Amino acid sequence: MSWGLIFATTKIFHFSHALTLTVAVYAAVLAVSGWGVPLPLGFAAAALVGGLVGVGTELLLYRPLRRAQATQLNIFLASLGLLIAGQSAVLVAFGPQARTVEGFPMRGIELGPVAFTTVEALWLVAAWMLIGGLVAWLWLSRDGLAIRAIASNPELAQCVGVAHERVFLLVFAVGSALVGLGGTLLALRDTASPTMGVHPVLAAFIAVFLGGIGSIPGAAVGGVLLGLAENMGGLVLPGYWQGVIAFVVLFAVLVVRPAGLLAGRGR
Amino acid sequence: MILLFSILGVSLNLLLGYSGLVSMAHAAFFGVGAYAAALTARHLGWPFPLTLLAAVVVTTILAGGVTFPALRVRGEYLILLTLALQMVLYELMLSWTDLTEGRTGISAIPRPTLFGRTLVTPAQFLPLIAACAAAVFAVGYRIGESPFGRVLKAMRDDERATLAIGKSVLRYKVAVFSLSGALAAVAAALFAHYQAFINPFSFTLDRSIFLVALVVLGGTANLAGTLVGATLFVGLPEMLRFLQARQEIVDAIRDFVFGGVLVAFMRFRPQGLLPERPGVGAAPARAGLAAVTPALPVAAARTDDGRPVLRAEGLYKSFGGIRAADDLSLVLPGGRVTALVGPNGAGKTTVFNLLTGFLPPDAGRVVLRDRDVTGLAPWRTVGYGLARTFQDVRLFERMTVLDNVVAAIPGQPGERLGPLFATPWRTAAAERANRARALGYLAFVGLADRAGDIAASLAFGEQKLVALARLIATEADVLLLDEPASGVDVQWVSRILELIRQVAAAGKTVCIVEHNLEVVTAVAHRAYFMEAGRIIAEGRPEELMADPRLGEIYFGKARR
């Protein structure tokens, strides 16, 4: 959803969102494991650093590029370049080995036939809270209105006096803070590594396109669908297809309904 | 390795630079080719040139076939779709162990034997790889700088306009994807035999990204740029090997520099090291341009003056609840100018879209002479002699004025791959003739002296004239002009109107959509008045102008 928010609003194919995620998670790792900060503050650090990285990317990379009237492909490649360079920087600074975020009690929970861990329970709760919060903010606040205006028609929004540069910044700040939180949640169970951001962000691309560009709730639905397809497909198809399912689903959807499953029916 | 990457880069540049199709699956195609070569060599015992052929065939079919459904999408969708394809193919290479042996890969691929010598060392391989690279470069260059490449560039600059000059965008896309796959497969087969060992890790997404970056850094639509890019970005990092440091740190530094260079280039030199050369073939000599004789093709059927050439019967089209065309019938007589007038949103442009196949009608027929052309693809209706311009001009902005016009000439042998390579002399002669004709059309609209300029550098009025020349070049005899004189200074308007009169006098059937009633009265013999998707009146323009009811619709009710 955070990537969807940025993409829908700014139309930037923000690949280096993966870098934002990685850096934010490393901030949390450092804070918690390095300086012994309690875990909730670690999350705060991730959100803060994520937001800063996102805003920095927008200010120092995308804004000058837009001013120079770069094409979408140019911006996309610049984003890729930043990701490659940033990943290597993280690698040099922290080494290639995986890090963990400590301090969360990991236990198994069983509810009837369903078994999961405390981390997964936290994921469930936190994810829905973040999604709910974001949707509420988009629909209830004045900033949310401005964001939706730009997402649906940038030129018209500018005409009625929505300052799009400011909104872009805001979107990058919020989206990046969210991905910091999300990344740290992931790192609670899995580990942090310099390339950890790529897979979640690829999944995010797919979720956003499945749900339909510009539809922010659609991105959430797309994410859920994607998760279901991956797990259900694993039950009926031979093992080596499992990693492929997400992309096959995407391929099929793009071919059949290029605008996305839940895209608005406008003309 | 530099040469192998050059081959890959050249093959990708045809897609990315010339056609504007971003493929993130190039490494996967490369991989498929390599596996095809490796497997035929290992299991079927085929000798080298045959394995290369196998790689080319398999990859061509795959690239053409898989991308066929994908080609309806563009821009970020295509990036995503090819990304998905890359991941699917990569995962299959990893997991389909019966065929690919998974992550262990295929080893002991036989070394090729040529002229009785078996090639083992890099030095022995060099001549073979260099020869192949030269051949691929020659093929790529021939295609890129030919009428075929001109259509690719036109497609990149404006897909709808490419359809409107009668080129099947889909056909060219499949062709260029297959071709790009075929050329990549040449590199793939060489790679498999050279390494004697392949595994999936050579064909990752990272490699696809690297290739895209290489092409963009070297310069899109410039094959020499790709060679320079490959040399720099594949060759220089090899130097780093001499640094006494741990491998992973060296890799990280290399990636860091590469990423940084990519960002810097996008920021400060987005066109790459060597920018695209404007114009296909030699630039026209400036001195000769003033002397070009204006040419106007005479319509084949001069005899149908005044007789109905195009008829539309009962066209319906609705978008959601809105009736954009409602039981709409009209007739265009040959050699006359007919106008469609009406307030904004009356559905005038929709009528053009319905007539030319850009929109399929919900009901009704479009008949051109005796042929039913209802709902045919736009490029086909152009072939039958019905073409249109756009309200927003839609020139191929990064091409020269001359190329904009030449591209529209139908039936060029150089636009098909067979004649392009089989009969080069005939192709070259046809190209010379076509250029001369296009210059004639440009002279007709008075722009021959701007032939070598980039289309985007022209003033808006001049762009409209180029669009008119491009329309004439399609050799269609029914011409639909969407607001030919809107948004243009007064001195241009009279010039454009004079040209329209001349075109009609030469026997063409002309229909214009126009807001400006003075323009309509000045050129049109007949006019249809539209409102809310219906034709509510027809007659001579002066009669329509005099009708107070229509004036009310057009200008709104007068205040009392």
Side-chain angles (χ1 to χ4, degrees):
Chain A
M1 268 182 82
S2 65
W3 189 79
L5 177 70
I6 292 176
F7 183 72
T9 314
T10 63
K11 306 287 184 293
I12 292 172
F13 211 101
H14 181 38
F15 217 99
S16 76
H17 207 44
L19 179 66
T20 311
L21 186 150
T22 310
V23 173
V25 171
Y26 268 81
V29 168
L30 265 188
V32 175
S33 310
W35 306 329
V37 177
L39 190 60
L41 276 181
F43 274 102
L48 181 70
V49 171
L52 286 179
V53 172
V55 168
T57 312
E58 155 69 9
L59 276 183
L60 300 178
L61 184 63
Y62 296 140
R63 186 172 289 181
L65 276 173
R66 273 201 309 278
R67 295 254 161 91
Q69 311 211 315
T71 61
Q72 265 223 307
L73 176 64
N74 290 146
I75 293 182
F76 171 64
L77 284 173
S79 185
L80 264 176
L82 180 67
L83 174 65
I84 296 172
Q87 270 181 2
S88 331
V90 171
L91 185 80
V92 171
F94 297 100
Q97 67 276 32
R99 304 291 195 97
T100 51
V101 180
E102 293 155 6
F104 191 77
M106 170 94 97
R107 275 182 290 110
I109 304 177
E110 277 184 38
L111 281 177
V114 188
F116 51 96
T117 62
T118 45
V119 176
E120 282 155 339
L122 178 69
W123 284 3
L124 194 69
V125 175
W128 283 113
M129 273 173 52
L130 290 176
I131 291 171
L134 182 61
V135 171
W137 179 65
L138 283 176
W139 258 261
L140 298 178
S141 73
R142 215 184 136 64
D143 285 333
L145 182 69
I147 290 171
R148 283 182 295 134
I150 288 198
S152 75
N153 188 336
E155 278 139 42
L156 195 62
Q158 246 178 315
C159 290
V160 297
V162 180
H164 81 284
E165 299 276 299
R166 198 185 71 85
V167 171
F168 278 21
L169 263 190
L170 187 68
V171 162
F172 267 96
V174 173
S176 305
L178 279 179
V179 83
L181 288 177
T184 314
L185 283 170
L186 271 181
L188 283 181
R189 191 186 71 178
D190 307 330
T191 50
S193 67
T195 53
M196 68 175 294
V198 174
H199 192 257
V201 169
L202 274 179
F205 291 170
I206 299 173
V208 167
F209 280 85
L210 280 181
I213 293 176
S215 154
I216 288 163
V221 175
V224 173
L225 278 181
L226 180 66
L228 276 178
E230 275 198 323
N231 288 312
M232 293 298 164
L235 297 179
V236 287
L237 288 169
Y240 59 81
W241 278 97
Q242 184 150 24
V244 183
I245 289 168
F247 296 99
V248 173
V249 169
L250 173 70
F251 198 79
V253 169
L254 279 179
V255 168
V256 177
R257 242 203 109 147
L261 286 176
L262 299 183
R265 290 210 47 174
R267 69 134 291 184
Chain B
M1 283 315 269
I2 293 176
L3 287 168
L4 284 178
F5 272 95
S6 299
I7 299 180
L8 286 175
V10 165
S11 63
L12 184 61
N13 205 343
L14 281 179
L15 268 183
L16 186 73
Y18 287 89
S19 325
L21 300 168
V22 182
S23 170
M24 302 296 286
H26 215 61
F29 288 142
F30 176 53
V32 169
Y35 273 101
L39 289 171
T40 48
R42 269 283 302 271
H43 296 305
L44 303 177
W46 290 9
F48 165 72
L50 269 184
T51 57
L52 187 135
L53 193 67
V56 168
V57 168
V58 169
T59 315
T60 308
I61 292 173
L62 184 86
V66 171
T67 48
F68 184 73
L71 291 174
R72 287 187 302 162
V73 299
R74 253 194 97 77
E76 58 265 42
Y77 288 102
L78 189 64
I79 295 183
L80 197 72
L81 216 144
T82 48
L83 204 70
L85 187 62
Q86 161 76 36
M87 301 307 273
V88 169
L89 291 174
Y90 175 67
E91 291 284 339
L92 278 180
M93 286 175 209
L94 266 184
S95 342
W96 194 355
T97 40
D98 296 341
L99 188 68
T100 65
E101 297 177 28
R103 54 184 64 231
T104 34
I106 296 172
S107 48
I109 299 164
R111 301 288 188 174
T113 307
L114 278 183
F115 308 115
R117 280 179 55 195
T118 304
L119 309 178
V120 181
T121 64
Q124 286 167 326
F125 257 98
L126 188 64
L128 173 65
I129 297 183
C132 287
V136 166
F137 185 82
V139 169
Y141 190 82
R142 178 86 178 118
I143 288 170
E145 306 298 323
S146 72
F148 187 87
R150 186 161 55 214
V151 179
L152 294 183
K153 286 183 176 180
M155 190 164 88
R156 171 195 72 189
D157 283 359
D158 197 318
E159 225 167 82
R160 279 170 72 85
T162 310
L163 282 171
I165 57 169
K167 316 291 173 190
S168 164
V169 165
L170 190 67
R171 210 197 86 199
Y172 283 96
K173 279 189 181 175
V174 173
V176 74
F177 250 105
S178 311
L179 203 75
S180 171
L183 296 183
V186 173
L190 291 171
F191 177 76
H193 285 287
Y194 175 64
Q195 299 257 305
F197 162 77
I198 53 170
N199 69 12
F201 304 113
S202 305
F203 315 118
T204 57
L205 175 62
D206 288 351
R207 169 105 352 138
S208 275
I209 293 173
F210 178 74
L211 285 170
V212 171
L214 186 99
V215 170
V216 174
L217 291 177
T220 47
N222 187 321
L223 297 181
T226 302
L227 294 192
V228 175
T231 313
L232 285 181
F233 295 104
V234 181
L236 284 187
E238 299 287 314
M239 312 277 182
L240 285 176
R241 294 243 166 116
F242 300 110
L243 290 179
Q244 300 292 319
R246 275 167 53 220
Q247 184 59 40
E248 60 206 33
I249 298 294
V250 173
D251 285 350
I253 292 173
R254 188 197 60 203
D255 286 352
F256 183 79
V257 171
F258 178 63
V261 167
L262 194 54
V263 172
F265 257 86
M266 291 307 104
R267 175 74 184 80
F268 299 108
R269 199 176 164 82
Q271 71 273 44
L273 279 173
L274 301 183
E276 177 178 350
R277 243 162 33 91
V280 170
R286 230 157 224 292
L289 290 178
V292 176
T293 348
L296 179 61
V298 176
R302 222 23 253 272
T303 47
D304 49 31
D305 255 12
R307 273 186 245 154
V309 173
L310 183 80
R311 277 179 298 130
E313 296 162 2
L315 291 178
Y316 274 97
K317 181 75 193 178
S318 62
F319 298 113
I322 301 161
R323 287 248 168 99
D326 190 355
D327 192 18
L328 203 141
S329 300
L330 51 83
V331 173
L332 304 184
R336 300 280 190 276
V337 180
T338 312
L340 279 178
V341 291
N344 268 327
K348 302 181 298 285
T349 298
T350 304
V351 172
F352 274 15
N353 284 335
L354 291 172
L355 293 178
T356 51
F358 277 91
L359 281 174
D362 296 337
R365 292 199 325 142
V366 180
V367 183
L368 177 63
R369 297 214 169 76
D370 293 321
R371 184 182 269 125
D372 189 339
V373 296
T374 318
L376 285 183
W379 64 272
R380 280 194 196 281
T381 64
V382 178
Y384 294 139
L386 169 61
R388 54 96 51 102
T389 62
F390 296 90
Q391 199 174 327
D392 47 352
V393 192
R394 290 179 172 269
L395 290 188
F396 307 122
E397 295 200 333
R398 285 187 273 172
M399 294 164 53
T400 62
V401 169
L402 180 63
D403 278 336
N404 261 279
V405 180
V406 185
I409 293 178
Q412 301 184 34
E415 285 179 358
R416 282 171 297 136
L417 293 176
L420 183 59
F421 288 100
T423 54
W425 283 278
R426 209 170 71 83
T427 310
E431 172 70 1
R432 273 195 302 279
N434 287 333
R435 282 165 64 101
R437 255 158 80 195
L439 269 176
Y441 300 143
L442 277 175
F444 169 66
V445 300
L447 283 179
D449 55 332
R450 305 296 301 268
D453 295 353
I454 295 291
S457 70
L458 266 58
F460 191 67
E462 293 172 316
Q463 293 197 9
K464 291 232 160 184
L465 289 174
V466 176
L468 181 62
R470 187 173 73 180
L471 182 70
I472 294 172
T474 62
E475 293 173 12
D477 41 22
V478 181
L479 306 178
L480 311 183
L481 300 160
D482 200 344
E483 307 210 353
S486 71
V488 171
D489 286 346
V490 185
Q491 86 255 23
W492 291 102
V493 171
S494 54
R495 191 161 156 196
I496 290 172
L497 295 185
E498 178 50 37
L499 290 174
I500 292 175
R501 270 190 226 107
Q502 287 183 23
V503 168
K508 301 268 185 188
T509 306
V510 180
C511 180
I512 63 172
V513 158
E514 193 49 70
H515 277 296
N516 186 337
L517 295 178
E518 279 173 34
V519 168
V520 172
T521 353
V523 296
H525 301 93
R526 249 189 122 58
Y528 288 94
F529 194 98
M530 280 188 72
E531 197 217 354
R534 294 165 159 277
I535 288 175
I536 57 170
E538 65 165 298
R540 292 165 48 76
E542 300 81 14
E543 293 165 19
L544 292 184
M545 291 272 279
D547 187 335
R549 192 171 54 99
L550 301 180
E552 217 164 72
I553 292 170
Y554 202 90
F555 299 110
K557 275 203 172 76
R559 290 227 183 98
R560 297 176 192 191

